[in-house]
């Protein structure tokens, strides 16, 4: 059975270190008992060093929610991928729709993706349409967004890429996307990846789905949506929900 990847995006939560420690402890206890699932948690920056570990294969991988495209220098408030790599961070979410809404363009995303890859970390590149129109224009929008966001990836590092397909309208809403539609869209995304990096890389690229995942719908999305894993927002900071989700996904 191929290992599924579950990424918890804590966003700007929780507000205290003690809550973060408690949440992480619960996730780790559950993750240690999983046989077929790799769990990655992306806490806010200030908590990261509390959770990174020097072991080669920690039971919970640590990701960041953003990184800048330069290694060092006069960039007040920014964090470089090299710093994150040094702390033991394995993944970085890039181009989340909440950052794109704040003005992060495809060009900035592309530069960040390149810098993260060059530093030896896996970028989790978020892509997704804002809405779906009846004429299929959203497919062109998605294609352009993906091509532009991945425009600066060196081919030799393409196999380190993770894509998170997150239709913006499904984030933080009541329902995720229909699994059959997720499957269709993932096929479409792999076709675009094949155009850029070739068929072999495209088939190997890890593609996650994100948007209103909870412990009830997660197994079905993995099975029928045919994704390699999930990017989980709200449910990842809900202790009973996220631990249930991990256990449920591990056995599908
Ligand atoms: P959600 O968020 O699971 O709360 O919908 C997903 C995300 O924004 O990555």
């Amino acid at each position: 059975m191929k290992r599924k990847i579950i990424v918890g995006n804590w966003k700007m939560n929780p507000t205290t270190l003690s809550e973060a420690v408690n949440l992480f402890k619960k996730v780790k206890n559950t993750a240690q008992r999983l046989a077929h699932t790799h769990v990655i948690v992306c806490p806010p920056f200030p908590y990261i060093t509390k959770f990174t570990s020097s072991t080669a294969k920690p039971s919970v991988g640590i990701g960041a929610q953003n990184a800048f495209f330069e290694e060092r220098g006069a960039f007040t408030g920014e964090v470089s991928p090299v710093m994150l790599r040094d702390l033991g961070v394995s993944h970085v979410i890039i181009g989340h729709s909440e950052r794109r809404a704040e003005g992060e363009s495809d060009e900035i995303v592309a530069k960040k993706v390149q810098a993260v890859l060059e530093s030896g970390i896996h970028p989790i590149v978020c892509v997704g349409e804002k809405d779906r129109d009846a004429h299929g224009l959203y497919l062109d929008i998605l294609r352009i967004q993906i091509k532009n966001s991945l425009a600066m990836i060196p081919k030799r590092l393409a196999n380190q890429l993770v894509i998170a397909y997150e239709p913006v309208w499904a984030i933080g809403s009541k329902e995720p996307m229909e699994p059959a539609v997720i499957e269709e869209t993932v096929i479409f995304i792999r076709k675009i990846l094949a155009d850029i990096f070739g068929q072999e890389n495209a088939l190997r690229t890890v593609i996650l789905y994100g948007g209103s995942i909870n412990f009830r719908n997660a197994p079905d999305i993995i099975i029928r949506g045919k994704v390699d894993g999930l990017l989980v927002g709200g449910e990842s900071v809900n202790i009973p929900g996220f631990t249930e989700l991990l256990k449920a996904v591990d056995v599908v």
Side-chain angles (χ1 to χ4, degrees):
M1 199 190 283
K2 201 168 145 204
R3 276 184 113 202
K4 283 144 287 202
I5 298 179
I6 304 295
V7 183
N9 175 12
W10 288 6
K11 307 193 180 182
M12 204 169 67
N13 300 293
T15 49
T16 66
L17 178 59
S18 65
E19 283 173 278
V21 168
N22 186 39
L23 175 58
F24 187 76
K25 211 190 290 169
K26 299 272 169 35
V27 173
K28 194 172 170 188
N29 281 343
T30 305
Q32 275 163 347
R33 283 179 270 136
L34 305 177
H36 309 292
T37 310
H38 181 47
V39 184
I40 298 159
V41 156
C42 304
F45 284 131
Y47 306 146
I48 280 182
T49 51
K50 270 276 169 196
F51 308 134
T52 45
S53 128
S54 50
T55 36
K57 288 209 163 159
S59 51
V60 179
I62 300 300
Q65 298 174 21
N66 181 32
F68 196 52
F69 49 75
E70 296 287 352
E71 266 187 30
R72 76 192 74 216
F75 303 103
T76 303
E78 299 290 0
V79 172
S80 98
V82 177
M83 295 171 186
L84 295 170
R85 175 68 265 174
D86 183 56
L87 297 178
V89 166
S90 59
H91 291 71
V92 182
I93 298 172
I94 298 290
H96 190 280
S97 60
E98 286 155 13
R99 295 199 58 82
R100 289 182 186 265
E102 293 295 320
E104 196 160 285
S105 63
D106 287 347
E107 289 67 32
I108 295 174
V109 170
K111 283 161 86 170
K112 290 184 170 187
V113 171
Q114 181 192 26
V116 166
L117 280 169
E118 293 287 4
S119 75
I121 303 181
H122 299 277
I124 301 172
V125 185
C126 297
V127 296
E129 72 281 3
K130 285 204 185 90
D131 41 44
R132 289 213 159 196
D133 59 289
H135 311 288
L137 278 180
Y138 66 90
L139 290 172
D140 290 332
I141 292 168
L142 194 54
R143 182 189 296 109
I144 292 166
Q145 187 192 43
I146 294 172
K147 289 206 162 163
N148 289 347
S149 300
L150 306 182
M152 293 173 71
I153 297 186
K155 214 168 176 182
R156 74 192 148 83
L157 296 174
N159 60 353
Q160 302 300 307
L161 178 70
V162 177
I163 298 282
Y165 171 56
E166 299 205 305
V168 179
W169 49 270
I171 295 176
S173 75
K174 285 203 184 72
E175 293 288 333
M177 189 181 223
E178 269 296 308
V181 187
I182 295 175
E183 184 192 2
E184 261 171 43
T185 315
V186 167
I187 293 170
F188 176 73
I189 293 172
R190 283 203 201 279
K191 281 199 185 128
I192 301 167
L193 296 177
D195 284 350
I196 313 173
F197 306 118
Q199 183 79 5
E200 224 177 285
N201 275 320
L203 290 173
R204 274 202 309 245
T205 303
V206 171
I207 302 186
L208 313 177
Y209 166 82
S212 298
I213 291 292
N214 58 37
F215 75 91
R216 288 191 191 85
N217 59 34
D220 194 38
I221 301 255
I222 298 250
I223 299 169
R224 293 201 295 131
K226 298 203 174 61
V227 283
D228 301 304
L230 303 168
L231 177 53
V232 187
E235 190 81 319
S236 74
V237 286
N238 164 21
I239 294 173
F242 195 58
T243 51
E244 281 310 306
L245 182 155
L246 295 178
K247 287 188 258 178
V249 160
D250 198 48
V251 293
V252 297

